[in-house]
């Protein structure tokens, strides 16, 4: 299950209720963490050891859910990333705004030379 960040909740409300316009980002990026991202983006994203956010694309939502429509592959770790358990979807390759966050069904320990891959259709985002 995924949650909208405080930032995105406010942007959607303002847009839908006519008090502000939200311009969708040209790309969105998945970031990883060994702990949860909070709605206010107070979590700690991975850094170093070859880690970078990756572009992610999603299918059009149906029945309140969507999933990634292509494989997401991170570069080989050049050092330990720890046990990756959570993800965030951001509107920029670095910094930017957290849009959506959630936990993976299964955490994965990433050691030196490991590659984290998320199969097409495995990153589900559900609005509830």
């Amino acid at each position: 299950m995924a949650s909208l960040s405080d930032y995105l909740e406010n942007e959607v409300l303002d847009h839908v209720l006519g008090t502000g316009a939200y311009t969708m980002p040209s790309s969105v990026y998945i970031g990883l963490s060994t702990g949860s991202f909070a709605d206010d983006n107070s979590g700690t994203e991975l850094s170093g050891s070859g880690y970078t956010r990756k572009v992610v694309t999603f299918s059009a939502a149906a029945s309140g859910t969507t999933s990634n429509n292509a494989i997401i592959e991170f570069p080989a770790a050049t050092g330990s990333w720890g046990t990756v358990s959570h993800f965030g979807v951001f509107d920029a390759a670095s910094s930017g705004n957290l849009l959506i966050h959630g936990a993976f069904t299964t955490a994965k320990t990433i050691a030196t030379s490991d590659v984290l891959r998320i199969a097409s259709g495995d990153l589900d985002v559900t609005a509830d």
Side-chain angles (χ1 to χ4, degrees), residues 51-99:
Y51 168 79
T52 61
R53 291 179 187 169
K54 300 304 291 181
V55 170
V56 59
T57 56
F58 291 92
S59 301
S63 301
T65 192
T66 185
S67 61
N68 61 311
N69 60 13
I71 295 170
I72 304 165
E73 184 171 300
F74 288 85
T78 59
S80 174
W81 290 1
T83 302
V84 176
S85 57
H86 290 76
F87 69 90
V89 178
F90 295 85
D91 62 6
S94 63
S95 297
N97 299 294
L98 175 66
L99 304 174

Side-chain angles (χ1 to χ4, degrees), residues 7-101:
Y7 166 81
L8 188 57
E9 288 172 349
N10 290 332
E11 291 295 320
V12 169
L13 283 172
D14 288 348
H15 185 82
V16 170
L17 299 175
T19 60
Y22 176 70
T23 303
M24 71 178 195
S26 57
S27 295
V28 292
Y29 303 81
I30 183 170
L32 305 174
S33 179
T34 58
S36 72
F37 289 101
D39 285 351
D40 65 357
N41 192 21
S42 59
T44 303
E45 185 175 2
L46 299 180
S47 65
S49 298
Y51 168 79
T52 61
R53 291 179 187 169
K54 300 304 291 181
V55 170
V56 59
T57 56
F58 291 92
S59 301
S63 301
T65 192
T66 185
S67 61
N68 61 311
N69 60 13
I71 295 170
I72 304 165
E73 184 171 300
F74 288 85
T78 59
S80 174
W81 290 1
T83 302
V84 176
S85 57
H86 290 76
F87 69 90
V89 178
F90 295 85
D91 62 6
S94 63
S95 297
N97 299 294
L98 175 66
L99 304 174
I100 298 166
H101 61 96

Side-chain angles (χ1 to χ4, degrees), residues 112-126:
T112 302
S113 301
D114 287 348
V115 174
L116 189 140
R117 287 182 193 90
I118 302 169
S120 181
D122 277 0
L123 183 65
D124 299 322
V125 175
T126 302

